[in-house]
Amino acid sequence: EVQLAESGGGSVQPGGSLRLSCVASGYTDMSYCLAWFRQGPGQEREGVAAVDSDGTSSYADSVKGRFTISLDNAKNTLYLQMNDLRPEDTAKYYCAADIGFAPLGRLVGLPGMLAAREYASWGQGTQVTVSS
């Protein structure tokens, strides 16, 4: 079973930066995809960015060019570097993992990597608030 624990959230002014971290365990023995999702008040959970064991990454259009997902396998840690933050980025951010027999990008393509239904394991989330 994959265990996930996020950290790094906080409050920041528009235009600022934050880096989220997710310590993950139990994912390296098989093909995997690790992702960040977010859910704002009264909104559905949406995929932000994902990276699979092929090294394929996928980003939501709303964050392309501002957010970067990366994975340090030596530290079992997934990161989300968020730059040029906007008030609409305010949400609770969740780390998620899919473990399978093939990297998710090969199976469902880039848009599919950002679909919540593909992920069975979830962290508890960390709050990000962007306001002046």
Side-chain angles (χ1 to χ4, degrees):
E1 182 179 354
V2 179
Q3 304 290 329
L4 303 167
E6 307 96 333
S7 63
S11 295
V12 64
Q13 292 186 340
S17 297
L18 282 174
R19 188 176 78 159
L20 305 183
S21 300
C22 173
V23 178
S25 61
Y27 71 93
T28 56
D29 291 340
M30 300 181 69
S31 295
Y32 59 83
C33 188
L34 301 176
W36 290 99
F37 286 77
R38 67 186 180 187
Q39 188 167 17
Q43 298 180 346
E44 292 187 358
R45 191 167 296 190
E46 65 168 340
V48 175
V51 60
D52 70 15
S53 46
D54 266 352
T56 300
S57 59
S58 180
Y59 292 90
D61 288 343
S62 59
V63 306
K64 282 180 182 176
R66 301 189 298 123
F67 292 10
T68 302
I69 191 170
S70 62
L71 177 61
D72 186 337
N73 281 318
K75 296 182 179 180
N76 290 343
T77 302
L78 179 73
Y79 299 101
L80 184 68
Q81 178 65 46
M82 305 186 293
N83 298 327
D84 189 23
L85 282 160
R86 304 167 181 170
E88 55 263 37
D89 295 318
T90 294
K92 195 165 187 178
Y93 284 70
Y94 298 87
C95 180
D98 166 74
I99 307 299
F101 295 99
L104 195 59
R106 290 188 210 172
L107 298 176
V108 299
L110 296 183
M113 291 172 69
L114 300 180
R117 64 179 180 274
E118 301 293 345
Y119 295 86
S121 300
W122 294 85
Q124 294 300 307
T126 185
Q127 179 67 36
V128 171
T129 302
V130 185
S131 70
S132 54

